[in-house]
Every structure is written in structure tokens, then in C-alpha cells.
Amino acid sequence: MAESMGMIIALLVVFTFVFILAGIPIYVSLLMTGVLSLLVLSISTGTPMATLAVSQSISNGIGSLPLLAIPFFMLAGEIMNRGKITEKLIKFAMLLIGRLPGGLAYTGIVSSMFFGGITGSAQVCASCMGGILIPAMVKEGYPVT
């Protein structure tokens, strides 16, 4: 039984990579592999109870509060971006250190520090500030890498 489960797990990993290499998006590949594993688990145990137990644990994992915080942080960042708070933070940082050599890069760091302190999330800061600072830095002649 243990050898067959090891073989099944190896096949599921192989199927995941085959799906990804076939050009299917990663989230769809993982979903298809998960459904396939539920099917194999249900067939190997002979009861649909295994499928119900696994699907219920997946449902409980999706409803966790830390996972729900991610889209709400992103929403807060987008609201701040559309409310022009990010532009005001950039202008304030430009007033503080914009006259230094490489001032726009330093401005990005300082304004990201303020924005990250306000939102509490570095990922939100990177997504919102990058949309404003990257085009400005390219316009000023910073290299695109």
C-alpha cells in the first residue's frame, strides 16, 4: 500500500510539471492535479468520504483570516493610489531628499518607507509605488533591468 501511494504521489508531481510545460497556467495545473488526487484518493479508498474530508479541509484553508488579509491590503493600497496619497508621499519625499544625486531613487525608498508604514504591507507598497515610480525613473534616464 505504501509503495502504491508513493507511486501515486510521484505521478501527481509529474502530472503537475507536464501540465505546466504544456502551457497551462500554474494555478490551473495545481487545480487539475488536486482534482486528480481527490479522484485517485476516492477510488483507492473506495469511499467518497475521503473526497469530502479533503474538500472540506481545502475549504477551511481558503477561509482563513490571514489569507483574506492579502486582498484587503491590496484594496487599501489601490484606494490610497487612486486617492493620490501615493503621489503626495512622493512629493513629500522629493522635498526631503530630492536634491541629492540619485534623488529619485532615494525618493522611492523614502516614500515606500512611509507608504509601508501606513499600510503595514511591503507587498502593497511595491505594487502601488512601482506603478508610479518606475515610469518616472525611466523618464529620468534610469536603466531598465
Side-chain angles (χ1 to χ4, degrees):
M1 181 71 178
E3 286 182 17
S4 65
M5 287 304 282
M7 183 70 137
I8 290 171
I9 291 171
L11 280 174
L12 291 174
V13 170
V14 168
F15 277 134
T16 302
F17 287 113
V18 167
F19 291 149
I20 291 171
L21 291 175
I24 298 172
I26 293 175
Y27 71 95
V28 176
S29 302
L30 292 173
L31 177 69
M32 290 170 52
T33 306
V35 169
L36 187 62
S37 67
L38 285 176
L39 183 65
V40 168
L41 183 64
S42 178
I43 290 171
S44 68
T45 59
T47 65
M49 188 58 88
T51 306
L52 292 174
V54 172
S55 63
Q56 184 178 9
S57 68
I58 291 171
S59 173
N60 289 340
I62 291 173
S64 71
L65 290 177
L67 286 178
L68 288 174
I70 295 168
F72 288 126
F73 273 129
M74 298 300 283
L75 175 66
E78 187 62 29
I79 289 171
M80 292 175 77
N81 202 6
R82 291 193 186 198
K84 307 290 186 205
I85 293 175
T86 53
E87 291 177 12
K88 291 177 184 174
L89 284 173
I90 291 171
K91 287 179 184 175
F92 177 66
M94 278 297 265
L95 286 173
L96 289 176
I97 57 171
R99 63 188 170 278
L100 298 174
L104 189 57
Y106 291 132
T107 298
I109 294 168
V110 171
S111 60
S112 294
M113 179 185 69
F114 290 138
F115 194 85
I118 292 170
T119 62
S121 173
Q123 292 81 5
V124 172
C125 174
S127 67
C128 293
M129 299 301 273
I132 295 172
L133 285 171
I134 292 172
M137 293 176 87
V138 169
K139 184 177 161 185
E140 290 290 320
Y142 285 83
V144 179
T145 57

